[in-house]
Amino acid sequence: IPLWLCMRVLFLSSRAAPSKWLEPLTSSLGDDIIWELNDDVNHDDIEVAIVAVPPPGVLSQLPRLKFIQSLWVGVESLLKDPSLPTHVPLARLVDPGLTDTMCLSVLQHVLNAHHGYDVYMNQQREANWQPLPFVRQCDRTVGIMGMGELGCAAAIKLRSIGFEVVGWSRSEKSVEGVRTYAGLPQLDAFLHQSEILVCLLPLTPDTRDIISSRLLNCLPVGAVFINVARGGHVVDDDLISALDSRHIRHAVLDVFHEEPLPSSHPLWSHPHVTVLPHVAAETDPRTAIAQVVENIRRLRANKPLLHLVDRER
């Protein structure tokens, strides 16, 4: 590539380990020049920022910035930064490896709920030998809230092993074998069927605090709630009340408003909650690099970028 076509790329992260990313990025991008923030960088040179929770304010100090590529599927933390340049395209990461890992996590939690392992764990503490009634997968309905890339993939996986699956999203989606619902007018009909509810929604102003008493009360009595999306979707006090009343049998929570979850938080000790330290899925550079590299190549060639974020949603 001629030097004048080389992209000047800045890797910005307070979470993702640079050592995992810089070598494969450098190898894949070839002549493009990649810097870290602690390098001797002229901010005026930077055209592309590859980010995972970048230090606040840094992106606004890059006057020639043309493109921001997130290393995460969720970009809400980026969008909350008031200094984020509004004129610069921002792309989320859609990583096939992360999608596969998330599907496996959802599958594991759904199967545990389906077989009542949470009930058996509590029975074990009481030395109580009491088998639950047998239920086939085809007689169990799993609801997926959020039918984006991850939600559709999870729905297809669950359907493939025999579960009845329903899906809900903001706009209409079509997935073979899955009954789909869209918008607030169809939310209750979706919820009434969802014996196991999986939250895979993006966190937006419309979806913040959506898991409230009103929504939880629409679920069948004894439903199980699984959240592998964002903690901001859940009104914690409402969920605890629903668990205490036993309207909700159990909750599996991988994400929280504050992470790490404070040791004094009542969710830690609740007998009907499984607390996990945000481990449902992680971006793996070996599978994620391809999209990052492809978007930089598209930027150089003035082609449409992949997986751009609609900031109006």
Side-chain angles (χ1 to χ4, degrees):
I1 300 173
L3 184 60
W4 61 273
L5 276 179
C6 291
M7 289 286 174
R8 275 70 172 179
V9 180
L10 182 62
F11 184 90
L12 283 171
S13 174
S14 59
R15 295 279 184 91
S19 59
K20 290 184 177 180
W21 288 91
L22 291 177
E23 184 177 340
L25 277 171
T26 301
S27 174
S28 299
L29 289 172
D31 294 325
D32 292 314
I33 303 166
I34 304 175
W35 288 294
E36 292 182 76
L37 190 60
N38 57 5
D39 294 334
D40 186 14
V41 178
N42 183 348
H43 285 189
D44 293 345
D45 290 337
I46 301 301
E47 298 169 283
V48 176
I50 300 172
V51 304
V53 194
V58 174
L59 293 170
S60 65
Q61 301 170 21
L62 308 174
R64 292 185 60 214
L65 189 63
K66 298 177 180 177
F67 173 52
I68 303 167
Q69 172 68 63
S70 172
L71 294 181
W72 287 2
V73 176
V75 294
E76 58 274 3
S77 61
L78 275 172
L79 296 176
K80 284 193 295 186
D81 183 353
S83 67
L84 181 72
T86 57
H87 66 284
V88 179
L90 166 65
R92 71 176 76 249
L93 187 72
V94 177
D95 169 21
L98 183 143
T99 301
D100 289 345
T101 304
M102 180 63 82
C103 284
L104 288 174
S105 290
V106 169
L107 186 62
Q108 175 182 354
H109 297 319
V110 167
L111 285 171
N112 286 347
H114 172 63
H115 291 298
Y117 287 167
D118 57 285
V119 176
Y120 291 134
M121 289 293 289
N122 285 325
Q123 287 182 181
Q124 180 178 341
R125 296 185 187 99
E126 300 167 359
N128 178 15
W129 185 285
Q130 183 62 50
L132 297 173
F134 173 73
V135 179
R136 297 176 63 200
Q137 290 101 303
C138 62
D139 295 322
R140 180 83 71 194
T141 301
V142 181
I144 305 290
M145 285 192 80
M147 293 295 286
E149 186 89 16
L150 297 177
C152 287
I156 291 168
K157 182 73 74 175
L158 290 164
R159 192 72 190 92
S160 73
I161 61 169
F163 285 103
E164 282 295 310
V165 181
V166 293
W168 181 86
S169 53
R170 195 184 87 157
S171 56
E172 291 186 8
K173 300 289 174 65
S174 178
V175 179
E176 185 176 355
V178 177
R179 294 194 306 279
T180 56
Y181 300 79
L184 290 177
Q186 297 184 9
L187 179 57
D188 286 4
F190 160 80
L191 293 170
H192 291 324
Q193 305 171 66
S194 300
E195 298 168 278
I196 301 171
L197 179 66
V198 181
C199 182
L200 278 165
L201 288 165
L203 185 60
T204 69
D206 289 337
T207 63
R208 184 174 292 279
D209 293 336
I210 193 171
I211 309 297
S212 62
S213 290
R214 186 209 167 280
L215 181 147
L216 294 167
N217 288 336
C218 288
L219 294 171
V221 174
V224 173
F225 172 60
I226 298 166
N227 189 15
V228 287
R230 288 291 182 264
H233 292 119
V234 180
V235 181
D236 288 349
D237 288 345
D238 288 3
L239 176 59
I240 289 171
S241 295
L243 289 161
D244 288 344
S245 72
R246 306 305 290 130
H247 185 86
I248 301 300
R249 189 186 87 203
H250 192 76
V252 178
L253 306 176
D254 187 65
V255 286
F256 304 90
H257 287 271
E258 182 181 352
E259 296 182 4
L261 185 66
S263 58
S264 59
H265 200 289
L267 288 171
W268 275 115
S269 57
H270 200 288
H272 304 301
V273 173
T274 298
V275 170
L276 297 167
H278 204 145
V279 292
E282 184 173 335
T283 301
D284 186 337
R286 292 173 296 180
T287 56
I289 285 287
Q291 183 197 311
V292 177
V293 171
E294 178 61 21
N295 262 346
I296 292 174
R297 288 173 177 162
R298 284 170 174 255
L299 180 67
R300 182 190 292 115
N302 291 314
K303 293 182 178 180
L305 300 171
L306 302 173
H307 308 302
L308 289 177
V309 174
D310 179 1
R311 302 199 193 193
E312 300 302 317
R313 292 186 64 173

